[in-house]
Amino acid sequence: MLKRLVPSAVLAAALAMVAVAVPLAQTPVPAPESVIGWAPCTDYKLATYESISEYFRKLDAASDRIQVYDIGKTAEGRTQILSVISSEDNLRNLARYKQIAKSLALNRDENGRPLTDERARQLAREGKAMIWVDFGLHATEIAHSQTAPWMAWKAVTEDTEEMKEIRDKVIFILVPNMNPDGGTLVANWYMKHVGKPWEMSLPELYHKYVGHDNNRDWFMFTQPESRNIARQLYEEYFPQIVYNQHQSAPYPARIFVPPFEDPANFNIPPLVMRGINTVGDAITRRLDQEGKVGAISRVSFDTWWNGGMRTAPYFHNMVGILTETGHSTPTPADNDPAKFPRRFSNGESTTEPSTFYPSPYMGGHWTLRQSCEYMMTGSMAVLDIGAKRRQEWLYDTYQMARDAMKAGANETYVIPAEQWDPNAAVRMINTLRIGGVQVERATAPFTASGKQYAAGSFLIRGAQPWMPYVRDLLNPQVYPDRRLYPDGPPEPPYDISGWTLNMQMGVAVDKVTNAPVTVQTEPVTTASIPAGVVSGTAKAAYAIDPRSNEAFIAINRLLKGGDVVYRSAAAVDAGGKSLPAGTFLVVAGQGTQARVEQAAKALGLAIAALDANPAGDVMRVKAPRVGVYNPWGGNMDEGWTRWVLEQYEFPYTTLRDKDIRAGSLRAKFDVILLPDASYEQMVSGLAPGSMPEEYVGGMTARGVTNLFQFASDGGTLVAQDSASELPIATFGLPIRNSVASLRSNEFYIPGTLLRMTVNNTHPVAWGMPKEIAGFFVHSPVFEVGRRRGRFEEDAPASGPTPATAGVNVVATYPGKDLLMSGWLMGERYLFNKASVLEAAIDKGRVILLGFRVEHRGQPHATFKLLFNSIYLGASEKATMGQRQTEAARR
Ligand SMILES: [Zn+2]
């Protein structure tokens, strides 16, 4: 629910009281400096989110041209706000204009029926353009958050013809800060350290969990800020243009403005792409009209990837605009043209005019204020073209919705009720729902394409306005093979190349394309978890199926409650149903029944009561003592790891370099996680002089020795993705990274879903299917049986990975067809190599998870590799041989 921060009744009462004493007058509209203490974008000053949001509240209190709304809490509990600016008349009729935008965007009239073209024209004539401009997403890119109060003040108070027309024709949705926590963190750090070399470098992530990846969360919606914003985009305002600002212009350009670089994602509607070019052109023209030089287009930033704040809206028929302005600090700088790089990454000169860089920036003194002025110009251009082409923007969204519904008429995605992990299917449906996907649930069994489906199966029809979003998330990405020159190195995508959601989440989805699926359905608002049930009162133990990720939440709760938990190494017969290896066995003790029932109900688990303990080997799982290594400087993979652990209720302790250097780790921990980081980053850390003393220096060789000692003493060291370099380089394991020295024109996998074969009889892979899609992003590839050779040439594999004593292969790349979604080059270098290994070290072990098992909180299908590794480390019995010990010591 939305809540006005200043209820209009209170405001009216206040005004009425004033009216008694003086002639009716509004509170004077405050300028930003009167609240913040300095004019926005003043040198050497940064305003916190608190200060900026206080300004917005005061503006709201003083003017009827702005309304400020509370849109939810942030990760650290701040209140995130959104403002709506328009004429007094428009704001009085805001509900009507929102309704029009929604009707057109969803192609749906008041009765839920599709619009006619004629009706859509009428609505477009009546409606107002909904134009979204947000500020402050990436917190170390500071100019936009500082510009927000200035932009709001200008839009509310300025009475030029242009601004009056904008207020008349546009509903301006201004989000002052997309990451309030980061805004305050960076402002406080800068103001404290201004003048130091580290004034703009933080020792930690600028968002509690995800840092810079807060712009990688826009279809997964894992973070509260992403969900706050998604509600506004896809349920409240349905903007036609979404303008998202950043600050990484390719130097020395002053601002990047669309058109974007190729490749373009094939699912983006042409009217979106044309709209992007139109708006981009409006921005660059205006910049040059105002004498603001150095705007560049068609370089670096492409439209391939879904998941960014400006890219996810493409698939919702919204025109997403990104600009990247230069100079992200309140400290002024002098730019010397003699030191400019000669060319941009697209090959064009940095000093001579070209088609998409016609007014080169030639250097000189530069201040934050200038960057903010570029952003003001960008925002004004977007608002202006929003006003001028108001009816077109509105009608376009209808046209795209209408055409999408037609194009997807015969296309249905069926999510069968029967799933490996039914809870994952529920999580996927609810994730898609946040993105505005229309979902139905079958109320009866049905047949489609000759296959039978049970009642309760979900259906996602192509015949919906945001069909491009559905198609993009539920099909493999086929990235075009693009090279910098023929047979040359690949032209890398801006971000990742493949992200197919159902593959990442391990959810079976059948695509039916021959005809619409006919079955009785009900609409799904939020998918509910399966009804949890405990089959009775156990005499011996309760068996919990490890295939559901939710089982791990249940076990963490039961361990916390003091229950005794085992895992079976063999399949368990539970009342005629066979549960796989790794099944959890919770001993029936005092109060266990109630705790198990509570877990079953809360988590949607079917738990079997056993009257006798199953035969076969078991392992005792104790409450794990987990340390998560967190290197200074902010490591996003560490943040995501921490976030996933919290979601699944694993307790953990953060380990800093000094903790690793101090040693005695085994006494405190069963498991230590090393999130993705290079050997150099971990061992050397931040360079001396680059940050205050307490943050520099890394874990050092002493830390590496302590980690080895930890494993040797019986601990479990889990190295994630490239962090596996540390144990491989220093622990003397018979393992090498066989792609370490390949060149990028031989081997290049930039963020791709790869097929992997899993040995699910191994404790690290218990509860997993035999085949998974793993997220590979410049990851290592393991070859067992060969030590890292100093002068060795890397060669493609000639046979299967040899089994080596003390090393257990948990997951491998098959000998063909590795590509599941995205793009890869040099597939053969992976054939039959390993992606996940467990290697013995004396009394303990190292587990190498050689890809991103928890990447950006998305691949639910591979979370278990992390969870199982933790439980294995906290298990009472070692299950592996000890023969590797000698080798490891050498
Ligand atoms: Zn950015």
Side-chain angles (χ1 to χ4, degrees):
M1 285 293 288
L2 291 174
K3 190 184 82 188
R4 279 295 301 278
L5 283 176
V6 179
S8 44
V10 173
L11 194 60
L15 287 172
M17 281 164 67
V18 171
V20 175
V22 294
L24 191 67
Q26 279 209 322
T27 322
V29 179
E33 48 268 40
S34 71
V35 175
I36 291 165
W38 55 81
C41 310
T42 297
D43 287 353
Y44 305 109
K45 297 280 188 195
L46 273 186
T48 60
Y49 173 72
E50 283 71 12
S51 169
I52 290 171
S53 57
E54 188 196 342
Y55 174 69
F56 273 82
R57 284 157 214 237
K58 295 212 161 134
L59 203 53
D60 182 6
S63 170
D64 289 341
R65 292 174 181 171
I66 181 170
Q67 296 177 353
V68 173
Y69 294 94
D70 166 357
I71 59 167
K73 294 289 177 193
T74 67
E76 290 179 12
R78 289 184 174 81
T79 299
Q80 192 168 20
I81 59 168
L82 170 148
S83 69
V84 183
I85 299 170
S86 197
S87 70
E88 294 85 341
D89 272 355
N90 288 348
L91 289 184
R92 265 193 297 277
N93 296 307
L94 185 59
R96 172 64 187 152
Y97 295 124
K98 285 167 77 174
Q99 183 55 47
I100 290 172
K102 180 177 181 177
S103 264
L104 290 166
L106 300 182
N107 182 21
R108 201 158 61 192
D109 69 12
E110 294 78 357
N111 304 312
R113 282 192 296 265
L115 303 169
T116 60
D117 290 0
E118 193 194 342
R119 179 74 186 127
R121 289 263 177 233
Q122 282 171 3
L123 289 174
R125 267 196 297 276
E126 186 194 341
K128 304 293 173 187
M130 294 279 181
I131 309 295
W132 171 291
V133 185
D134 62 66
F135 301 79
L137 180 67
H138 282 158
T140 46
E141 300 167 7
I142 44 87
H144 32 70
S145 67
Q146 304 299 304
T147 304
W150 185 16
M151 184 67 239
W153 177 73
K154 183 180 165 81
V156 165
T157 59
E158 207 174 83
D159 278 323
T160 57
E161 285 309 307
E162 183 185 42
M163 197 60 94
K164 280 195 250 179
E165 190 183 355
I166 287 170
R167 280 196 301 265
D168 181 40
K169 295 184 174 166
V170 169
I171 310 278
F172 175 19
I173 303 138
L174 189 166
V175 183
N177 203 315
M178 301 284 277
N179 175 16
D181 298 342
T184 290
L185 189 67
V186 171
N188 287 339
W189 177 270
Y190 177 85
M191 295 303 278
K192 186 172 168 200
H193 297 279
V194 61
K196 300 287 196 322
W198 50 82
E199 62 184 26
M200 282 304 295
S201 5
L202 293 184
E204 301 205 54
L205 295 171
Y206 60 62
H207 175 279
K208 187 175 179 187
Y209 299 105
V210 304
H212 210 67
D213 267 356
N214 67 350
N215 197 26
R216 307 286 183 272
D217 196 36
W218 296 100
F219 64 72
M220 203 65 202
F221 307 116
T222 64
Q223 301 302 309
E225 299 85 354
S226 317
R227 293 192 293 272
N228 294 344
I229 294 299
R231 260 195 314 278
Q232 305 306 314
L233 290 172
Y234 307 135
E235 291 177 34
E236 287 292 327
Y237 293 98
F238 302 87
Q240 295 88 42
I241 301 175
V242 173
Y243 177 20
N244 172 235
Q245 310 195 56
H246 291 259
Q247 274 210 279
S248 313
Y251 190 78
R254 297 295 85 194
I255 185 170
F256 166 85
V257 179
F260 291 102
E261 182 66 284
D262 276 305
N265 186 301
F266 311 152
N267 290 318
I268 297 175
L271 278 177
V272 164
M273 195 59 80
R274 299 293 187 191
I276 293 167
N277 297 343
T278 300
V279 175
D281 197 47
I283 296 174
T284 48
R285 275 176 62 82
R286 191 177 180 113
L287 285 164
D288 278 304
Q289 283 165 350
E290 295 180 2
K292 296 187 169 88
V293 302
I296 192 167
S297 302
R298 281 195 66 80
V299 62
S300 303
F301 307 97
D302 65 42
T303 58
W304 177 256
W305 157 72
N306 189 345
M309 175 55 207
R310 56 106 186 166
T311 62
Y314 297 154
F315 307 91
H316 296 81
N317 305 333
M318 296 172 185
V319 171
I321 302 295
L322 164 93
T323 59
E324 299 270 359
T325 310
H327 194 76
S328 179
T329 165
T331 303
D334 290 295
N335 297 299
D336 179 0
K339 291 183 185 157
F340 285 180
R342 287 192 57 233
R343 301 197 171 275
F344 293 111
S345 65
N346 63 0
E348 295 300 336
S349 167
T350 57
T351 51
E352 291 163 6
S354 54
T355 307
F356 290 101
Y357 192 57
S359 56
Y361 169 65
M362 297 309 285
H365 189 69
W366 194 272
T367 64
L368 175 63
R369 180 78 180 185
Q370 285 169 283
S371 294
C372 294
E373 280 168 357
Y374 273 54
M375 291 176 176
M376 291 289 278
T377 302
S379 302
M380 283 304 297
V382 171
L383 292 169
D384 178 60
I385 196 144
K388 285 196 175 115
R389 297 194 166 201
R390 173 185 63 89
Q391 289 193 43
E392 268 186 80
W393 299 123
L394 285 162
Y395 190 82
D396 278 0
T397 62
Y398 156 73
Q399 185 174 329
M400 286 185 269
R402 179 197 70 191
D403 294 352
M405 290 164 79
K406 200 183 290 175
N410 287 333
E411 194 168 310
T412 308
Y413 299 83
V414 182
I415 296 102
E418 188 75 17
Q419 293 282 343
W420 181 271
D421 176 358
N423 297 76
V426 170
R427 283 183 185 257
M428 187 184 86
I429 294 296
N430 289 333
T431 301
L432 291 169
R433 288 289 303 133
I434 298 172
V437 173
Q438 297 167 9
V439 181
E440 298 163 40
R441 189 175 167 279
T443 53
F446 63 101
T447 305
S449 279
K451 189 173 164 183
Q452 303 242 315
Y453 294 96
S457 298
F458 295 105
L459 289 88
I460 299 175
R461 298 194 189 272
Q464 58 179 299
W466 294 338
M467 177 271 279
Y469 187 70
V470 173
R471 267 194 192 163
D472 199 64
L473 291 179
L474 299 183
N475 285 285
Q477 272 71 47
V478 184
Y479 186 84
D481 185 9
R482 297 169 61 87
R483 306 298 173 99
L484 295 175
Y485 48 86
D487 295 325
E491 183 190 305
Y494 170 67
D495 199 77
I496 61 177
S497 72
W499 48 84
T500 310
L501 189 59
N502 50 306
M503 289 179 182
Q504 292 204 71
M505 297 189 75
V507 177
V509 176
D510 295 331
K511 186 176 174 183
V512 180
T513 53
N514 49 354
V517 174
T518 326
V519 57
Q520 268 209 334
T521 64
E522 58 189 16
V524 173
T525 307
T526 305
S528 3
I529 53 170
V533 59
V534 182
S535 68
T537 305
K539 292 198 181 105
Y542 296 91
I544 303 185
D545 190 334
R547 282 175 290 201
S548 171
N549 285 347
E550 261 68 8
F552 293 80
I553 301 180
I555 294 304
N556 283 332
R557 288 182 188 174
L558 292 165
L559 286 171
K560 202 175 165 191
D563 280 300
V564 177
V565 177
Y566 290 87
R567 295 191 84 174
S568 168
V572 172
D573 178 46
K577 221 176 118 187
S578 179
L579 301 178
T583 289
F584 295 100
L585 301 165
V586 184
V587 174
Q590 187 81 41
T592 304
Q593 170 84 16
R595 285 190 291 274
V596 164
E597 269 174 4
Q598 198 177 20
K601 204 170 154 204
L603 300 165
L605 298 171
I607 297 177
L610 306 182
D611 285 340
N613 285 332
D617 290 343
V618 293
M619 280 190 340
R620 168 85 186 267
V621 183
K622 296 232 174 134
R625 299 176 304 161
V626 183
V628 181
Y629 173 56
N630 187 355
W632 291 114
N635 177 309
M636 287 188 284
D637 197 57
E638 181 276 334
W640 283 114
T641 300
R642 197 158 30 85
W643 181 81
V644 170
L645 293 182
E646 287 183 22
Q647 296 305 301
Y648 288 86
E649 302 182 19
F650 283 89
Y652 67 87
T653 304
T654 291
L655 289 174
R656 296 295 187 175
D657 288 316
K658 68 169 168 43
D659 306 314
I660 306 272
R661 288 195 301 262
S664 304
L665 296 165
R666 183 65 188 107
K668 294 169 228 155
F669 300 102
D670 304 309
V671 181
I672 291 177
L673 307 181
L674 300 178
D676 176 71
S678 72
Y679 176 78
E680 190 53 33
Q681 283 165 346
M682 290 186 275
V683 174
S684 303
L686 301 173
S690 69
M691 285 292 266
E693 199 54 35
E694 64 261 43
Y695 304 120
V696 303
M699 68 169 69
T700 73
R702 177 172 301 280
V704 175
T705 306
N706 289 339
L707 288 175
F708 181 82
Q709 194 61 48
F710 165 74
S712 180
D713 290 347
T716 293
L717 182 67
V718 181
Q720 300 169 231
D721 206 1
S722 59
S724 54
E725 194 186 345
L726 186 147
I728 290 177
T730 60
F731 288 9
L733 302 165
I735 299 166
R736 66 194 278 277
N737 172 11
S738 64
V739 298
S741 56
L742 292 176
R743 287 183 299 269
S744 68
N745 60 351
E746 299 172 295
F747 180 74
Y748 195 84
I749 306 182
T752 304
L753 292 171
L754 297 185
R755 194 182 315 280
M756 296 180 196
T757 307
V758 174
N759 171 14
N760 59 13
T761 64
H762 189 281
V764 170
W766 277 344
M768 295 181 71
K770 285 207 166 88
E771 186 183 289
I772 52 165
F775 190 84
F776 189 106
V777 53
H778 306 297
S779 300
V781 175
F782 304 131
E783 191 172 6
V784 184
R786 292 178 69 188
R787 225 163 278 284
R788 228 169 95 102
R790 200 178 293 176
F791 301 109
E792 257 175 346
E793 283 292 315
D794 288 292
S798 50
T801 305
T804 303
V807 179
N808 290 309
V809 178
V810 180
T812 52
Y813 299 99
K816 59 173 185 177
D817 299 336
L818 303 190
L819 180 63
M820 291 181 78
S821 183
W823 190 65
L824 58 64
M825 194 170 68
E827 181 183 40
R828 67 199 174 103
Y829 294 103
L830 275 68
F831 289 159
N832 304 307
K833 299 280 172 65
S835 64
V836 178
L837 295 175
E838 183 215 14
I841 293 181
D842 294 342
K843 289 186 268 175
R845 63 172 72 78
V846 171
I847 296 172
L848 306 181
L849 304 176
F851 62 100
R852 296 286 177 88
V853 299
E854 84 306 326
H855 184 249
R856 297 176 182 169
Q858 295 170 13
H860 287 242
T862 58
F863 286 176
K864 282 190 197 78
L865 290 166
L866 186 65
F867 301 164
N868 283 327
S869 296
I870 291 172
Y871 281 167
L872 181 60
S875 293
E876 210 146 53
K877 271 199 297 186
T879 54
M880 48 193 278
Q882 303 291 313
R883 281 166 53 195
Q884 210 43 50
T885 308
E886 295 294 312
R889 275 188 177 151
R890 270 201 299 270

